[in-house]
Amino acid sequence: MAYLTTAPRGTKDILPSESGRWQYLESTLLRTAARYGFREIRIPTFEHTELFSRSVGDTTDVVQKEMYTFTDKGDRSVTLRPEGTAGVARAALEHGLLGDALPLKVSYNITCFRYEKPGSGRYREFHQFGVELYGAASPAADSEILALAYHCLKEVGLGSVVLEINSLGCRECRKRYTQALIQYFDRYRGQLCGTCLERLEKNPLRVLDCKNPEDQRIAAGAPSILDYLCDNCQEHFREVQARLTEAGIPYRVEPTIVRGLDYYTRTVFEMVHTSPNGERVVCGGGGRYGGLIEELGGNPTEGIGFAMGLERLLATMTAEGCGFPPEEPCQVYLASMGESAGVRAFRLASLLRERGISAQCDLMGRSLKAQMKYANKLKARYVVVIGEDELQKGEGLLKSMDTGETTPVRLDEGIQIP
Ligand code: AMP
């Protein structure tokens, strides 16, 4: 029976008391991105499995271990999206958006699914806000994405965020760097975890991303990608930094950032908040990707974007005491005694709602006393009591619940609520 009253592990209900915060966060992020020209795209919750194994990279943890993959009734393998970039790229290709005026700028608010061990802010279904910018290879595009990432967090009240940036270089830089990494890690074969030994064969960069403390200690001494960048990649990275400095956007270069997915090239970054007790909170991250659109069958097209985890962002905002807009309270409660008064209350409530005023009336057949108690619970700003006398006169008293003050109010189309 517990299955009927307990949500699946790693999922979470967003209750009516919390949803206002979510609406505020999501709309603020979308609005901020819109100022930079990003328009929202909505993509399906599931895609063909191949889309993710092709784009996210089949050596990543996400694809190897965490995907919610199943065979549908038509015998097709489909996967609940573990992230947004692949689906957005697929949609951009499918609808010819990359043939229109470039750059293409899109934003999204989505749920993502990863079969992870739940706990400490990790869920199996979670929410991401993200953006993608296609068609611009310039450092200017990187700077704009970084500026937007910073701006989004500032807009919701996290003003002390720092962008940690790195460059993974182009294919050529990566090739030389990968060789250097293999040489370095080879000496520690006896000490690396089993997964990292496998990574060393398939994708040595991933070893830098291992969460195992012993592996992390070894990785700390590994060569830095920044020493392997070609002239062009160095110049690109330098220009991104010059623009950030010019615009006053706080950043620091962090050569260990490689990001979890395979498709990144050149600029990668994380948005890092440091809590008062010194804890490093990563609110999200992103980067540039070169081969993704090509991998999906399109013409070579540069992309850059980021995604932030909204569960973590909300928790950080709450811990930091960021303000949230108050919920819209009930403006007026129309209490009634008797059936005719109840019908009038309903009519007046409808009228007020049409005028944009939030109004409620009794649906429970409660006594007047119980209705007043309920109006209090709703934190209604005003209450009108409608009984036989009021019906006859077509007028009642509007009581301010704040001051207790009463003023006459008409109980027909002429009703006016402050
Ligand atoms: P990623 O797509 O792995 O780069 O993740 C982007 C952001 O999504 C991270 O910074 C996290 O805040 C968030 N995120 C990733 N996985 C989870 C998860 N299992 N539960 C909650 N948030 C997550």
Side-chain angles (χ1 to χ4, degrees), residues 83 114 116 121-123 126 128 259 261 282-285 307-309 311-312:
E83 51 98 56
R114 294 184 195 174
E116 289 199 76
R122 295 252 142 210
Y123 298 93
F126 60 98
Q128 277 190 351
R259 306 279 309 139
L261 313 178
V282 180
C283 299
M308 38 181 117
E311 279 78 6
R312 186 169 302 174

Side-chain angles (χ1 to χ4, degrees), residues 311-418:
E311 279 78 6
R312 186 169 302 174
L313 186 51
L314 263 182
T316 309
M317 287 165 67
T318 307
E320 289 304 305
C322 296
F324 290 91
E327 298 217 355
E328 199 175 306
C330 169
Q331 188 71 1
V332 57
Y333 186 85
L334 299 142
S336 57
M337 286 180 293
E339 199 174 326
S340 321
V343 173
R344 178 70 63 93
F346 171 65
R347 201 180 105 203
L348 294 172
S350 306
L351 213 113
L352 289 169
R353 291 162 180 163
E354 273 176 31
R355 290 192 207 152
I357 293 172
S358 75
Q360 297 204 47
C361 55
D362 179 51
L363 305 177
M364 307 288 291
R366 284 187 173 124
S367 69
L368 183 61
K369 197 174 154 203
Q371 287 183 55
M372 295 306 281
K373 211 168 143 188
Y374 183 63
N376 255 322
K377 214 179 223 176
L378 291 178
K379 298 196 174 70
R381 291 222 169 100
Y382 295 93
V383 171
V384 183
V385 177
I386 309 172
E388 275 306 313
D389 281 1
E390 286 81 5
L391 271 185
Q392 295 252 308
K393 276 200 289 182
E395 197 181 286
L397 286 178
L398 181 74
K399 182 177 172 188
S400 158
M401 297 298 271
D402 252 359
T403 62
E405 224 171 273
T406 56
T407 44
V409 63
R410 287 184 50 179
L411 299 179
D412 52 22
E413 280 71 13
I415 188 170
Q416 290 295 338
I417 305 296

Side-chain angles (χ1 to χ4, degrees), residues 10 62 66 82-85 108 112-129 259-261 263-264 269-271 282-286 306-313:
V62 170
E66 297 169 1
E83 51 98 56
T85 303
Y108 57 84
C112 299
F113 305 83
R114 294 184 195 174
Y115 195 81
E116 289 199 76
K117 195 159 173 252
S120 64
R122 295 252 142 210
Y123 298 93
R124 288 181 173 170
E125 180 182 19
F126 60 98
H127 295 74
Q128 277 190 351
F129 167 77
R259 306 279 309 139
L261 313 178
Y263 45 58
Y264 291 109
F269 62 98
E270 284 180 348
M271 311 151 201
V282 180
C283 299
F306 66 75
M308 38 181 117
L310 298 190
E311 279 78 6
R312 186 169 302 174
L313 186 51

